[in-house]
Amino acid sequence: MFDKHRDCFERFQMPCFDIARTIMTSHFRASRVQELSVTDGSLDVSDNVGERPMETIKLARAHALAGMAAMLLGSAAWSTAALAQNVSSTSTNAAATNTNAATANAATANAVGAQSNNFRGGGGGSGGGSSRGGGTDPGVRGGDPGAGGPLQGLNDTELSFFAGAKDVFQEVDAVPNGLGPRFNLDSCSGCHSHPAVGGSSPPTNPQVAIATAAGGKNTLPSFITANGPVREARFVRNPDGSPDGSVHGLFVITGRSDAPGCNIAQPNFAAQVARNNVIFRIPTPLFGLGLVENVPDSALQASLAANAQQKRSLGISGHFNINGNDTTIARFGWKAQNKSLLLFSGEAYNVEMGITNDLFQTEREGDANCQFNATPESVIPLQAADLASPSASFQSDIELFSSFMRLTAPPTPASGAAAPVAQAAGAASQTAAASTQTTGTAGQTTGTASAASTPASTASTMVASATADVSSVMTAAAGSSTAAQPASSSTSGASVTRGNQVFANIGCQACHTQSFTTTKSQLTGQSNVTIQPFSDFAVHDMGSGLADGVTQGTANGNEFRTAPLWGVGQRIFFLHDGRTKDLSVAIQQHASRGSEANTVINNYNMLSQTDQQSLINFLRSL
Amino acid sequence: MRISLYLGIAACLAGMGVVLHGAMLSSRDAGFAQSANPEDAYVTDGGFVSDYFDLSYRVPEGWAQGLAGPMPSQSGYYVLGTWVPKGDFAGTILVAAQDTFFERGSSDDVKNVVAQFRQVMSTVDGMTIDREPAQVSIAGRPGYRVDFSGVGLFRSMFAIEIRCHVVTFNLTTRDAELLTSLAGSLDSLIPVRKKTSDAIPECIRDYAADNVVHRVEPQGIGLISVPVRLIVAADGSVKHVHMIRGSAAQQRNIEDAVRQWKFKPYERQGHPVEVETGIVFNLKPASM
């Protein structure tokens, strides 16, 4: 039937690595892949991840208990986001194929990451054939983000605590406060700032200025630009070829006026870029994470199973990143590698800012001439800090950071664009487009809701008030822009509604699950709240085009957590490395060899241009 | 770069060797089919041949292989192949298989599977069920078909059960006529194995639960559930181990252990026969 003697390229029309993926027996695959990965670094080795040391967990637990006690009063804090790896991390798992990544397709022409062919990732594709032209991203939606402030319904004590936590989240640190010796920025809110404090990367990258602040002598890496995203850098492999995957600070304190005598050098990023050995992560938005934290595992599991038949018709599977210590679902970070907000905070404080703390007590840079503080540099204060909240004044920074994330409100969509971001379970009415997704989930969590003691009247305070209008989603604007777009077409409302329908029909919602309901909460008014994060919080194989080769927890180098889409209307940079500002490019980048999203993107490419535009308008309304 | 190329060619040739070897054997020896794995399909622009599922499929003229799917999932889900038109992006073909051993709550009753799928799709806003689930013949096997459409896309799903897998053919087009044409292409589905006296193994869920008479526990499983398919020989020894997913170390450790297992032989009509079954090695908390 088939000519068995034709050249493999001719026959398979894909790289030979993919042929191996497709046809090798598992036994052969295992041995072969191991052999190849060491030398070449371009095959998938999902070798497992180490296990997080128990002492870390015990410490985390101790602090969690202390933090919980404080949390009753409100404890608050943050984290520099996704940048951290926690659930062990860092064995390298090379992208399955073609990690040389220079094969940027037309879709990546506008990509931020397209500035260099030597960055990993970016070798996507539309799955063959030609689409109908695609929609145009109208750019960042205007209007109040509805995020950055506290959750609705909190009591006065909690609100006061949130205010204190937010203040600390915005503090700028220098070397005497613990900054460095290696770091990526000097504050949490510097990275997490758009469209409000707690968000993602701002339009103007603060990393450019920090490179030489206070006399610093840092050279700006090529992948850090004034109008590009805030980035952290990870090296995929060590010089000896063994897996790395860890964050390498962009900057050093050498030359700063507050770091006399320190003379360490930055990593040679130019050489690493030339070796195609650098991957990037941008900050994940932190809005609404306290609500995400409070969704029970059972609801996530039920949701993943609820539409399994539909997923199978689309080539989608997915699994959760399971924490090895307690076997519950980790859900924070680009790979869902972070189990808790506190751990997220502690790791980011040390990794991104170089500030040792209660969870991560050891300086990552050991040069004796660059140690200026006793360690850990940030601990629970024995004397009250000068914060508005008395209880917050006795919290360590990382507890305040995690509490900021826990207490900060989720984004709200444009008015009428979708169901409220959060509403009382009793009053929840599913949006039509997401009915498939929400049916199983709602059924799972209704029981929890009815068994809970929180009065519906209290929970109803969570009904979100939309702050922007659908009409602010501009249709068919010429190219994306960082500047928020004004209101435009009066037909936007219809387009957004249609886009919601398209979103469900072509299968986006199979992973970008619209809603979940929280369980009982320690916080006032936050029990049994239905939220609309548009994520299943599972990790999925996103193919060679997005693969970063870094394994974290049970997420391998090809896998990423389904990015929550709430607030995506006001996001500037997309995908884990911020490679594009264009939502239509981000959609296309979901397709590449090995991606679970290929069929959904094929469906997208088969849509009429009007429906493609509607989908993008819908997304920009979120 | 040069090293990558050499390695690529090496992997290519090695992979081809496996496939060609398998394909040639498959036409002669049913024994190979017993040790082939679900993902070992031979996929080209023109279609695919799967020894494991005993199927060959020829896609319509003018179509080419689409992007490869992901690696087998933890639940034993396989994307066996995708195809798209060479020119205008007017449709897609996705062939997939779900192992019913490892998917919680899954059924190998394709009638139920298709009925559940129909129910889910009917709740999607704007989706219309164009053809209610109905029995059809696929490659000489009984299967079910359901058609549905929405937002200008016309779709069919055909499902059959083979060796405790639900194999689906998922067709999507921009117009109903093309969908009819694509559905017709499934008539090209035929078995690939010659008839022999060797039967494929009996497919029995959870056979390992009560029938292992000698068991060696694998070491250092780690942080993930590892699904494994086994073929137990007629004498109760382990004939074939298929590690569906897991790290190289996990696969090595588990296979080393499982190869030492001994099962109670399974008999059909008084004669011992081979059994195919599944087992999941679950992660263990670090404190254990």
Side-chain angles (χ1 to χ4, degrees):
Chain A
M1 178 178 302
F2 301 106
D3 180 0
K4 296 167 182 165
H5 303 289
R6 289 159 58 190
D7 174 80
C8 67
F9 285 97
E10 200 175 270
R11 292 165 23 141
F12 295 96
Q13 296 192 344
M14 62 180 177
C16 295
F17 287 155
D18 269 356
I19 298 173
R21 276 164 58 91
T22 305
I23 63 180
M24 285 193 293
T25 65
S26 61
H27 183 73
F28 177 83
R29 181 175 65 238
S31 57
R32 188 74 195 172
V33 160
Q34 262 196 317
E35 176 190 340
L36 290 175
S37 66
V38 171
T39 311
D40 177 64
S42 62
L43 279 180
D44 187 6
V45 183
S46 55
D47 220 330
N48 227 332
V49 297
E51 296 179 357
R52 194 143 43 97
M54 271 310 294
E55 57 268 27
T56 299
I57 299 312
K58 289 172 180 170
L59 190 60
R61 186 175 300 164
H63 282 284
L65 291 172
M68 265 159 76
M71 199 54 215
L72 294 172
L73 306 170
S75 116
W78 92 291
S79 139
T80 307
L83 316 180
Q85 59 201 20
N86 110 48
V87 181
S88 73
S89 77
T90 72
S91 79
T92 298
N93 179 17
T97 58
N98 187 26
T99 50
N100 287 328
T103 55
N105 58 21
T108 57
N110 296 325
V112 173
Q115 55 199 298
S116 168
N117 282 343
N118 289 323
F119 301 147
R120 296 173 67 95
S126 62
S130 57
S131 70
R132 289 183 170 181
T136 301
D137 183 3
V140 176
R141 172 170 62 81
D144 188 330
L151 291 162
Q152 294 185 43
L154 298 179
N155 64 30
D156 288 346
T157 301
E158 292 162 339
L159 289 171
S160 172
F161 199 99
F162 172 80
K166 186 174 181 179
D167 284 346
V168 175
F169 187 84
Q170 296 178 89
E171 279 183 0
V172 176
D173 291 311
V175 173
N177 309 114
L179 183 71
R182 299 182 184 276
F183 64 102
N184 288 323
L185 203 64
D186 58 354
S187 74
C188 305
S189 60
C191 294
H192 296 277
S193 63
H194 185 85
V197 174
S200 186
S201 186
T204 300
N205 189 348
Q207 291 175 305
V208 174
I210 196 65
T212 53
K217 306 292 185 188
N218 293 289
T219 299
L220 212 55
S222 60
F223 46 83
I224 300 298
T225 59
N227 299 319
V230 169
R231 280 172 161 160
E232 65 161 22
R234 294 170 186 259
F235 296 165
V236 179
R237 292 190 177 276
N238 293 308
D240 64 1
S242 60
D244 184 347
S246 65
V247 176
H248 291 256
L250 301 180
F251 308 119
V252 293
I253 58 175
T254 301
R256 286 179 59 111
S257 58
D258 54 3
C262 179
N263 191 29
I264 56 175
Q266 292 172 272
N268 188 342
F269 288 109
Q272 297 295 335
V273 167
R275 289 181 55 210
N276 185 32
N277 195 40
V278 189
I279 63 101
F280 311 114
R281 302 270 176 90
I282 67 170
T284 52
L286 309 175
F287 305 133
L289 294 191
L291 298 171
V292 173
E293 177 185 54
N294 216 26
V295 174
D297 277 11
S298 58
L300 297 177
Q301 289 158 345
S303 172
L304 197 63
N307 60 355
Q309 302 288 4
Q310 185 189 12
K311 288 192 182 82
R312 286 181 210 133
S313 75
L314 295 165
I316 297 169
S317 48
H319 66 92
F320 293 111
N321 197 340
I322 301 296
N323 179 275
N325 296 96
D326 64 359
T327 68
T328 58
I329 298 170
R331 54 190 77 177
F332 305 114
W334 283 106
K335 295 200 177 215
Q337 74 273 25
N338 284 293
K339 174 57 197 168
S340 77
L341 298 176
L342 186 63
L343 202 56
F344 200 5
S345 303
E347 186 174 22
Y349 213 20
N350 197 16
V351 170
E352 310 300 338
M353 297 174 64
I355 299 180
T356 52
N357 55 74
D358 287 323
L359 287 183
F360 295 87
Q361 311 92 330
T362 308
E363 289 284 8
R364 301 179 74 218
E365 169 56 59
D367 189 300
N369 294 323
C370 301
Q371 313 303 319
F372 297 94
N373 304 302
T375 56
E377 289 158 314
S378 173
V379 294
I380 295 174
L382 299 179
Q383 293 187 331
D386 185 22
L387 297 174
S389 164
S391 51
S393 296
F394 278 106
Q395 302 304 310
S396 69
D397 287 354
I398 62 171
E399 285 166 330
L400 292 169
F401 300 156
S402 63
S403 293
F404 168 73
M405 289 188 276
R406 185 170 290 127
L407 297 170
T408 190
T412 52
S415 173
V421 169
Q423 62 183 182
S429 59
Q430 312 293 357
T431 58
S435 57
T436 303
Q437 280 302 310
T438 53
T439 300
T441 303
Q444 177 72 23
T445 55
T446 299
T448 305
S450 61
S453 59
T454 304
S457 58
T458 304
S460 67
T461 58
M462 276 308 296
V463 175
S465 59
T467 53
D469 193 85
V470 170
S471 60
S472 66
V473 179
M474 189 172 144
T475 56
S480 63
S481 167
T482 299
Q485 299 299 314
S488 62
S489 169
S490 61
T491 62
S492 297
S495 177
V496 166
T497 301
R498 174 69 173 179
N500 196 350
Q501 192 177 67
V502 171
F503 185 81
N505 265 260
I506 67 172
C508 302
Q509 98 296 357
C511 297
H512 291 284
T513 308
Q514 183 163 345
S515 68
F516 289 96
T517 302
T518 66
T519 186
K520 288 183 71 174
S521 172
Q522 299 273 11
L523 301 171
T524 307
Q526 310 308 315
S527 297
N528 313 312
V529 170
T530 297
I531 61 174
Q532 312 273 0
F534 290 93
S535 172
D536 58 7
F537 299 99
V539 295
H540 297 270
D541 192 325
M542 296 311 297
S544 57
L546 289 175
D548 68 0
V550 176
T551 291
Q552 293 183 283
T554 58
N556 70 28
N558 291 359
E559 293 175 325
F560 289 90
R561 180 191 66 163
T562 303
L565 296 179
W566 56 5
V568 75
Q570 298 187 317
R571 289 276 301 277
I572 299 171
F573 302 101
F574 299 112
L575 302 173
H576 65 279
D577 51 10
R579 65 179 65 179
T580 182
K581 295 179 178 179
D582 189 328
L583 201 47
S584 63
V585 172
I587 291 170
Q588 295 292 353
Q589 289 280 304
H590 281 56
S592 63
R593 284 178 295 278
S595 172
E596 294 179 31
N598 286 343
T599 300
V600 173
I601 302 306
N602 284 346
N603 288 346
Y604 173 81
N605 287 331
M606 278 190 278
L607 293 170
S608 69
Q609 192 163 355
T610 301
D611 277 342
Q612 289 178 342
Q613 188 64 55
S614 293
L615 177 64
I616 291 174
N617 290 346
F618 166 67
L619 294 173
R620 278 300 191 185
S621 77
L622 297 178
Chain B
M1 191 66 187
R2 183 170 298 171
I3 291 173
S4 298
L5 183 59
Y6 291 158
L7 287 170
I9 292 169
C12 179
L13 292 173
M16 277 178 62
V18 168
V19 162
L20 295 177
H21 181 58
M24 286 188 288
L25 281 179
S26 70
S27 62
R28 302 174 190 164
D29 179 11
F32 179 82
Q34 293 178 16
S35 59
N37 293 320
E39 68 267 39
D40 299 336
Y42 172 40
V43 183
T44 72
D45 282 351
F48 80 94
V49 175
S50 168
D51 281 299
Y52 182 88
F53 291 114
D54 190 18
L55 282 178
S56 78
Y57 172 51
R58 183 161 39 208
V59 300
E61 287 293 321
W63 286 60
Q65 191 178 357
L67 292 168
M71 298 287 280
S73 78
Q74 274 181 252
S75 65
Y77 175 76
Y78 307 88
V79 172
L80 301 179
T82 64
W83 293 267
V84 296
K86 288 178 179 172
D88 186 29
F89 205 106
T92 62
I93 302 169
L94 164 69
V95 184
Q98 174 62 57
D99 190 322
T100 60
F101 285 163
F102 305 113
E103 179 76 352
R104 188 172 54 180
S106 69
S107 168
D108 56 5
D109 181 340
V110 289
K111 183 178 181 181
N112 287 341
V113 168
V114 173
Q116 288 173 12
F117 178 70
R118 180 253 182 245
Q119 179 58 31
V120 169
M121 299 314 292
S122 69
T123 61
V124 176
D125 182 34
M127 194 74 83
T128 301
I129 304 300
D130 300 321
R131 180 195 294 255
E132 292 292 339
Q135 191 166 7
V136 293
S137 177
I138 304 169
R141 300 168 186 267
Y144 280 82
R145 172 184 183 177
V146 61
D147 289 9
F148 50 103
S149 61
V151 297
L153 303 183
F154 298 85
R155 293 187 257 183
S156 281
M157 186 180 82
F158 293 76
I160 50 177
E161 187 277 325
I162 307 174
R163 293 176 73 163
C164 290
H165 291 79
V166 174
V167 180
T168 61
F169 297 80
N170 304 277
L171 316 176
T172 306
T173 66
R174 287 200 311 229
D175 66 73
E177 272 189 29
L178 180 57
L179 185 65
T180 301
S181 170
L182 278 189
S185 76
L186 298 184
D187 292 341
S188 71
L189 279 162
I190 55 172
V192 293
R193 288 198 293 273
K194 287 183 177 177
K195 298 297 181 187
T196 73
S197 58
D198 295 332
I200 62 171
E202 191 82 15
C203 169
I204 303 176
R205 182 194 294 256
D206 298 330
Y207 188 71
D210 301 317
N211 295 290
V212 181
V213 294
H214 176 67
R215 179 180 176 117
V216 176
E217 292 299 333
Q219 301 299 310
I221 292 177
L223 301 175
I224 196 169
S225 297
V226 181
V228 181
R229 264 205 175 225
L230 305 174
I231 294 179
V232 180
D235 65 359
S237 63
V238 174
K239 177 179 179 180
H240 179 64
V241 181
H242 176 210
M243 309 295 304
I244 294 175
R245 191 175 170 109
S247 70
Q250 288 168 335
Q251 295 193 19
R252 190 169 50 248
N253 291 343
I254 291 173
E255 181 161 358
D256 287 349
V258 170
R259 288 278 183 192
Q260 302 175 58
W261 289 19
K262 190 79 174 176
F263 285 77
K264 177 183 173 185
Y266 179 77
E267 292 189 355
R268 184 173 57 201
Q269 297 176 334
H271 299 287
V273 296
E274 295 182 350
V275 170
E276 184 168 12
T277 191
I279 185 169
V280 176
F281 292 91
N282 286 307
L283 58 84
K284 292 182 171 66
S287 58
M288 292 179 65

